[in-house]
Each structure stands twice: as C-alpha cells, then as structure tokens.
Amino acid sequence: MNSMNHDQDIYTSIDALRRLQFKARGFSLVAEQPINSILSGKNASKLRGRGLNFEEMRQYQVGDDIRTMDWKVTMRTKKPHVKVYSEERERNVILLVDQRQSMFFGSKGKTKSVIAAEIAALMAWQVVASTDRIGAVVFNDNHVTHIAPKRSQNQVVKVIGEICRYNHKLTSGASQPEHHVSFENMFAQVMRIIGHDALLIMISDGYGWSDKCGEYVKRISQHNDIMLCHVTDPLERQLIAMSQMVVSDGDMQIELTTKKEVLQQRFSHDVENAIAKFLSVAHKYRMPMIAFDTLLPTDKQVRKAFGVVRA
C-alpha cells in the first residue's frame, strides 16, 4: 500500500462514520428511483421493494388488479373477490461488509476497507431515516459477526462500531486463508439468519468468489433482494503490468518485483476474475451492481449511482 498522509485514509473511526449521518441524504433504497438511478425501471436490475401483508378479502371493484383475484372464494360465493394487501412499513436491510486482508489496500486515496466502511455507514444512516431496520454481517478472513436488524440510531452506532473493530484488526503482511473460504463462511452465516423480503447490500472487492458463493446467492435471491457494491482501487489493474514497485504502510517500505511469472499471473487472475465474476453474477440474478473506487468521496459516488448529483 502506498504511503498515506492521514491515518483516517488507512483506518476509519466511529466518529468519522457517525459524521456521515449528515451526508446520507439525496438517495434512497426504495424501489421507486430517479430515472438515472441504477435501481430505476430503465435498468435490468431492479429492487422488488418491501414485502406485502394480507389485509382483507373483499368483493371485486372496477380498477382492481385481476391478479389479486381469489378464485376459490369467487367460485364459492359466485361473486368475484380479491385479496387486499398493504406494503410492510419496515424492511430488514442487512449490510454484508468485507474487512478481509485484500481490502487493506489503497494507492492515492483511502483503503478499500475504509471505503467499504463508509458505504456501510451511509447506507445504515439512510435506512433508519426511512423507517427500515438495519442489520449487518461483518467478516474478515477468519471471523464472521452478525448483528440482527433493528431500527434506531443506536443500532447504527452498534453496526459502525463493529465495522470499526474489524477495520482496526487489519495489518500489513498478515497471513490469510484462501479468499473463497472467508466468502463461503460469510454466506453460510447469512443463510442461517436470513428470512424473506430483506435487502442485502454486499460491500466487497469480490476476491475469492466461487461457484459455491453463486449457489448461495441463487438461493438467497429467490426471496430477497441483493445489491452489490464493488470496491476497487485504480492501481490494482495497473499492478498487473508493472514489473517493479515500491510499497509502503507509512512507516516502512519495501521493493517488490512481479517478474516472477507465477506471481504475476496469480495477481492478474485474482483482479480480473473478481471483476468478471461479480459482473456475471449481477447479470445472471438481475442484481444491481454499483462500482466504487478509493479516490472519489464516497457520499458523492453513492448519490451519483442513485441518480442524484449534489456538490
């Protein structure tokens, strides 16, 4: 990781994420979106919105949707009847926040792990402001923590506190298992706690995506919405072609060479496939995917993705 002038570019803090409450404006996660939003009807990917509660059975009236007709009651009473539903007032929104070692990278801006934390905080503050419930699954290379959805500002503080705890565990040069193991463990945990009609927002660089992850997503997306926030650093693609580089954590620096063909091929494979697999999964299961980088302000990237541009 390149040298950075400010600690907050490498790690985040609860105070920094709390202050994002005042920037969590100008966007929403409801199904109805501005025309330029990635979630709008003009896109193939679209959120289904909150679930529906059954309210009553009544006789058909002109203008009722025929798809709500209850044919059993209609046949029994000899009069057309429809089921009336109302939209649930609250929805569970669950953040899947990646704080693995692969996220501890940044060239000129912030680390991917900090950007992921900021995206999560912005989403969390917006969710509680819109009366939905916020929860989280925070994971690194070895651990997964689940926070059950609730609706309160204290809940947001709890979520961002857990993200910060994971964020500050990241250190340069730490050993890590195979990327796909941590991803699969995270999804296994999600499968144990997920219900239906929830919105899952996965914030990750996508490294280690496996076929098993795809199977988990297929099952989860049958009854829930999933949105992908893909975080990358512009330098990652450039590193593939570089034969020599100097990296630093701000205190120490070392010189690396990628001339070894195996190392270069492995890095190239990881970067390119992470992007390709995320795109493929998003397209296959009609999931919105928002691309984030480590250079631009996170709140501006969020508003741009949702069709709202504000200085």
Side-chain angles (χ1 to χ4, degrees):
M1 177 169 53
N2 264 17
S3 175
M4 298 183 184
N5 296 325
H6 305 288
D7 288 342
Q8 62 263 35
D9 291 337
I10 303 175
Y11 297 103
T12 190
S13 67
I14 293 178
D15 286 342
L17 298 183
R18 291 187 73 160
R19 287 195 296 271
L20 288 176
Q21 178 181 5
F22 305 105
K23 294 187 177 181
R25 298 168 181 170
F27 71 96
S28 72
L29 301 175
V30 298
E32 294 78 17
Q33 291 284 317
I35 192 168
N36 293 326
S37 170
I38 193 171
L39 305 182
S40 72
K42 73 183 182 66
N43 291 282
S45 302
K46 187 178 179 182
L47 300 184
R48 287 170 287 197
R50 295 181 176 94
L52 298 175
N53 289 321
F54 173 72
E55 292 290 332
E56 62 174 341
M57 186 81 67
R58 62 166 170 76
Q59 281 189 248
Y60 175 84
Q61 298 175 5
V62 176
D64 285 341
D65 190 338
I66 194 173
R67 290 174 297 181
T68 62
M69 189 81 72
D70 189 301
W71 296 106
K72 289 184 178 180
V73 175
T74 297
M75 294 292 291
R76 187 172 68 249
T77 63
K78 307 302 182 182
K79 295 180 180 179
H81 279 73
V82 295
K83 292 180 178 179
V84 179
Y85 296 88
S86 65
E87 187 178 60
E88 292 180 349
R89 289 181 295 175
E90 295 182 346
R91 186 185 200 190
N92 288 339
V93 179
I94 302 174
L95 306 169
L96 312 181
V97 188
D98 189 346
Q99 291 291 301
R100 296 177 299 165
Q101 196 65 29
S102 66
M103 297 288 286
F104 196 52
F105 179 88
S107 54
K108 295 179 181 178
K110 299 177 180 180
T111 58
K112 293 187 291 183
S113 52
V114 168
I115 296 296
E118 291 180 352
I119 295 169
L122 287 164
M123 298 292 187
W125 286 120
Q126 197 285 329
V127 165
V128 297
S130 64
T131 73
D132 285 334
R133 296 179 291 262
I134 190 68
V137 174
V138 189
F139 64 105
N140 61 17
D141 294 287
N142 300 296
H143 300 95
V144 181
T145 297
H146 167 235
I147 301 174
K150 293 181 181 179
R151 184 174 67 85
S152 71
Q153 291 192 2
N154 287 337
Q155 173 75 350
V156 178
V157 174
K158 181 178 181 180
V159 168
I160 63 179
E162 190 63 20
I163 294 171
C164 285
R165 188 175 73 85
Y166 269 76
N167 182 251
H168 282 260
K169 287 182 177 181
L170 291 167
T171 57
S172 298
S175 60
Q176 56 191 16
E178 292 294 323
H179 288 309
H180 70 89
V181 174
S182 52
F183 244 147
E184 291 169 7
N185 288 342
M186 180 273 292
F187 276 118
Q189 174 72 359
V190 171
M191 286 295 299
R192 285 192 288 268
I193 58 97
I194 195 65
H196 60 85
D197 295 322
L199 169 60
L200 281 71
I201 304 174
M202 186 168 71
I203 310 167
S204 173
D205 60 7
Y207 285 8
W209 192 272
S210 67
D211 291 339
K212 190 172 182 180
C213 293
E215 286 299 313
Y216 279 128
V217 166
K218 178 181 179 181
R219 292 163 62 186
I220 293 170
S221 63
Q222 289 175 348
H223 302 289
N224 301 275
D225 289 327
I226 306 178
M227 183 192 307
L228 305 179
C229 295
H230 190 214
V231 185
T232 60
D233 185 279
L235 187 61
E236 288 177 303
R237 286 181 177 271
Q238 298 175 27
L239 290 180
I240 298 171
M242 293 172 64
S243 62
Q244 198 169 44
M245 72 192 92
V246 176
V247 296
S248 170
D249 64 1
D251 296 319
M252 299 179 294
Q253 70 177 32
I254 57 174
E255 186 174 328
L256 299 177
T257 177
T258 57
K259 287 183 178 178
K260 291 185 177 180
E261 188 175 350
V262 174
L263 177 62
Q264 191 166 354
Q265 286 180 349
R266 181 176 179 181
F267 188 85
S268 174
H269 181 273
D270 284 347
V271 174
E272 297 297 337
N273 277 288
I275 297 172
K277 287 183 178 180
F278 251 43
L279 287 171
S280 175
V281 169
H283 178 74
K284 184 175 182 179
Y285 299 109
R286 297 173 57 83
M287 295 186 297
M289 189 181 88
I290 306 173
F292 288 87
D293 63 47
T294 55
L295 301 181
L296 298 175
T298 309
D299 62 302
K300 290 185 178 181
Q301 294 188 69
V302 169
R303 284 192 291 271
K304 182 179 179 181
F306 287 85
V308 179
V309 179
R310 190 179 72 182

